[in-house]
Amino acid sequence: MSKHITCEALEQYSARFTGDRASRVARDAVMSAGLFKTCQNPMVSRRDNHEFSLSLKQGAITHQKQSGRCWLFAATNVMRFRIIQNYHLENFELSQNYLLFWDKLEKSNWFLENILDTLDQPVGSRVLCHLLSDPIGDGGQWDMMANLVNKYGVVPKYSMPESSVSGSTREMNRVMTELLRNDACLLRQAAADGLDHEALEKKKNAMLGDIYRMLCVCLGEPPKTVDMEARDKNGNFIQETGLTPMEFFKKYVDMDLNDYISLINAPTADKPFYRRYTVDMLGNVKEGRPVCYINLPIEDLKKAAIAQLKDGEPVWFGCDMGPFVNRDSGIMDPEVYDFGDFLQVEFPMDKAQRLDYCQSLMTHAMVFQGVNLTDQGLPTRWRVENSWGEEPGKKGYFVMSDQWFSQYMYQVVVNKKYLTNDQLDILNTETIVLKPWDPMGSLA
């Protein structure tokens, strides 16, 4: 058998295509209207409608614009829900720009400290290449958000509103990435020239001063105190002045982030269920808590999420937002597109195989604001609050089929009170450290 594509093989491929009527019809449709639009399955919308037996009331939909801050938007959506409910507001929004500022600064320090910790690694090593690949990206994890809030608090959006750069971070990230790679080079050269650890740390701190100045130019300097000002549904004006961001968080959000646990579903052979995991070199705040996951079967994630929703609290989650998502209708369903029928091919990989073969991983964070349950209490579809504005889906909300949840959901974050005793016991077991490039180290 030939190892290259022969003329005879090309003739066979062509004859098979031109002789197949279904292939010719598919060609005409797809070339005219596009692959996804042509393959759309209109029957799916009949079952995936935007009605739910349990639906929470949230404020206006948010918009992350051209940025990768979904994890921060999802987290602030969870937190602002408490303010809206507790103070009977129509709407309220927390500043995502404020958390973005501190995340960029902390990630810069995290990156430079990792550079100092890996001075023994040669240029070109997998570890160094991983560190240098994306030192300042917008993505993040729940535990990384918790570290930011536990250190810096939160502020209302009007206290640090969006800037042109926060809504479109590409240019800033590009310049910061070049600066940080340059700093990494300088630190490694200084170490090779014999600078001791104390001198290297001093050099690093000067570099962070440049980063801070750049962030102030792009995003504005974070406020040191803020005022709470809002009007409730009855017209009463709520006002309190001179609060630090931490005081604002403790009083108005009133949420112990340390009580919330990340449950993941990674059904690969190298990650046994009922074990505790972390990812090497993944984080932002150097003195903060490490990223921590409990790996459980998918049905356990569903039960915990439903329990929290039933108690009237939304759920932060991370999923793969790429496959089988119709942005216009807001439907997330593995049958929303009939690629197999139109292209006459099969996609047989299961969830574990998609993880192993780099076909899927967590790419986006959103919030569950509801679920539709059968009489037996089983979920059929989930109500999803996205952060892409009101245009996609139903005024910004998506509907996720339970089948899609099983296939492309990787993480839910719930209060530990919704875990069983056996699940809580896992938190006291030895932590398995995953490689920095493991798919479960992906950032939303």
Side-chain angles (χ1 to χ4, degrees):
M1 183 68 70
S2 174
K3 292 185 179 182
H4 59 274
I5 300 176
T6 64
C7 293
E8 291 80 3
L10 290 174
E11 289 292 336
Q12 292 174 3
Y13 303 156
S14 178
R16 186 173 66 178
F17 173 77
T18 56
D20 181 52
R21 183 180 181 184
S23 294
R24 298 196 307 272
V25 171
R27 174 200 61 196
D28 295 344
V30 171
M31 289 185 68
S32 298
L35 180 60
F36 277 60
K37 188 172 182 180
T38 303
C39 295
Q40 184 173 321
N41 182 354
M43 306 304 291
V44 170
S45 61
R46 295 188 178 185
R47 66 169 184 262
D48 293 337
N49 62 78
H50 289 264
E51 296 295 337
F52 306 87
S53 60
L54 194 167
S55 185
L56 305 182
K57 176 67 174 176
Q58 175 65 297
I61 206 74
T62 56
H63 201 334
Q64 67 188 77
K65 299 182 180 178
Q66 286 73 50
S67 73
R69 298 173 292 162
C70 59
W71 60 296
L72 294 176
F73 272 76
T76 52
N77 283 337
V78 168
M79 289 187 282
R80 75 184 178 119
F81 180 87
R82 300 167 73 93
I83 300 175
I84 291 171
Q85 297 301 312
N86 292 338
Y87 293 90
H88 310 290
L89 307 179
E90 288 288 348
N91 189 41
F92 196 84
E93 198 167 345
L94 296 169
S95 173
Q96 303 88 4
N97 187 23
Y98 176 80
L99 292 177
L100 175 68
F101 182 102
W102 295 120
D103 181 57
K104 295 297 186 185
L105 184 65
E106 291 287 352
K107 275 180 180 169
S108 298
N109 182 60
W110 181 275
F111 168 74
L112 295 175
E113 282 294 325
N114 278 330
I115 291 298
L116 293 176
D117 289 341
T118 55
L119 293 174
D120 60 330
Q121 293 285 331
V123 173
S125 69
R126 186 169 188 181
V127 170
L128 197 59
C129 287
H130 173 79
L131 291 174
L132 294 169
S133 63
D134 188 18
I136 200 68
D138 286 353
Q141 265 287 348
W142 172 268
D143 288 312
M144 295 165 65
M145 178 282 304
N147 286 334
L148 294 173
V149 175
N150 284 335
K151 184 172 181 177
Y152 297 105
V154 297
V155 302
K157 188 156 192 170
Y158 53 73
S159 296
M160 189 170 176
E162 294 286 283
S163 76
S164 175
V165 177
S166 68
S168 182
T169 55
R170 180 178 59 86
E171 294 177 351
M172 178 183 70
N173 288 345
R174 178 176 177 178
V175 175
M176 289 187 69
T177 296
E178 182 171 356
L179 179 60
L180 285 170
R181 287 171 177 161
N182 183 74
D183 290 344
C185 178
L186 293 174
L187 287 175
R188 286 174 61 89
Q189 287 179 346
D193 291 340
L195 242 63
D196 61 20
H197 179 75
E198 185 176 352
L200 289 172
E201 284 290 345
K202 185 176 180 180
K203 196 173 185 67
K204 182 212 74 171
N205 286 331
M207 294 170 174
L208 289 177
D210 293 337
I211 294 291
Y212 186 94
R213 183 175 60 253
M214 181 185 298
L215 289 171
C216 289
V217 170
C218 293
L219 305 176
E221 190 168 15
K224 294 179 174 61
T225 61
V226 298
D227 300 336
M228 173 58 179
E229 295 179 329
R231 194 173 297 278
D232 68 19
K233 296 178 181 178
N234 296 321
N236 300 310
F237 190 60
I238 303 166
Q239 184 178 45
E240 187 172 3
T241 62
L243 297 166
T244 68
M246 186 57 69
E247 288 171 340
F248 180 89
F249 170 72
K250 289 181 177 179
K251 178 169 183 178
Y252 288 98
V253 178
D254 188 24
M255 183 179 186
D256 189 348
L257 297 175
N258 297 318
D259 285 341
Y260 289 78
I261 307 298
S262 290
L263 311 180
I264 63 169
N265 177 246
T268 50
D270 64 329
K271 299 181 188 67
F273 287 142
Y274 311 109
R275 299 295 301 273
R276 181 183 182 183
Y277 296 88
T278 191
V279 181
D280 192 21
M281 298 184 177
L282 180 65
N284 54 356
V285 179
K286 195 64 179 176
E287 71 273 24
R289 74 191 195 194
V291 169
C292 175
Y293 306 133
I294 297 177
N295 193 21
L296 297 173
I298 195 67
E299 296 305 319
D300 289 3
L301 273 66
K302 295 178 183 180
K303 290 176 183 177
I306 290 171
Q308 185 159 305
L309 286 169
K310 282 184 173 180
D311 271 357
E313 184 173 358
V315 178
W316 188 103
F317 70 86
C319 64
D320 184 356
M321 196 56 173
F324 300 103
V325 176
N326 186 306
R327 184 179 178 127
D328 292 336
S329 65
I331 292 177
M332 308 164 70
D333 190 302
E335 296 179 5
V336 73
Y337 296 113
D338 288 332
F339 297 124
D341 287 346
F342 268 87
L343 302 176
Q344 299 183 47
V345 292
E346 300 293 334
F347 301 95
M349 284 195 294
D350 60 23
K351 189 174 186 178
Q353 291 167 330
R354 288 194 292 270
L355 282 170
D356 284 338
Y357 285 84
C358 304
Q359 178 54 34
S360 184
L361 77 171
M362 189 184 74
T363 60
H364 191 49
M366 296 180 285
V367 177
F368 284 132
Q369 290 286 0
V371 62
N372 193 67
L373 302 173
T374 66
D375 292 340
Q376 293 74 37
L378 299 177
T380 60
R381 57 186 179 271
W382 301 76
R383 184 171 184 248
V384 176
E385 179 188 11
N386 203 350
S387 54
W388 291 350
E390 290 191 352
E391 184 176 348
K394 185 176 181 180
K395 295 184 178 179
Y397 280 85
F398 283 54
V399 54
M400 177 194 299
S401 75
D402 193 59
Q403 296 91 334
W404 197 97
F405 187 121
S406 296
Q407 292 298 317
Y408 299 104
M409 178 65 64
Y410 290 109
Q411 179 181 6
V412 300
V413 175
V414 297
N415 192 299
K416 61 186 179 183
K417 67 183 178 181
Y418 300 112
L419 303 184
T420 67
N421 289 333
D422 288 342
Q423 291 168 348
L424 286 172
D425 287 341
I426 299 171
L427 293 172
N428 299 318
T429 61
E430 179 184 1
T431 301
I432 298 174
V433 181
L434 303 175
K435 296 293 186 182
W437 42 84
D438 189 276
M440 299 316 294
S442 63
L443 300 178

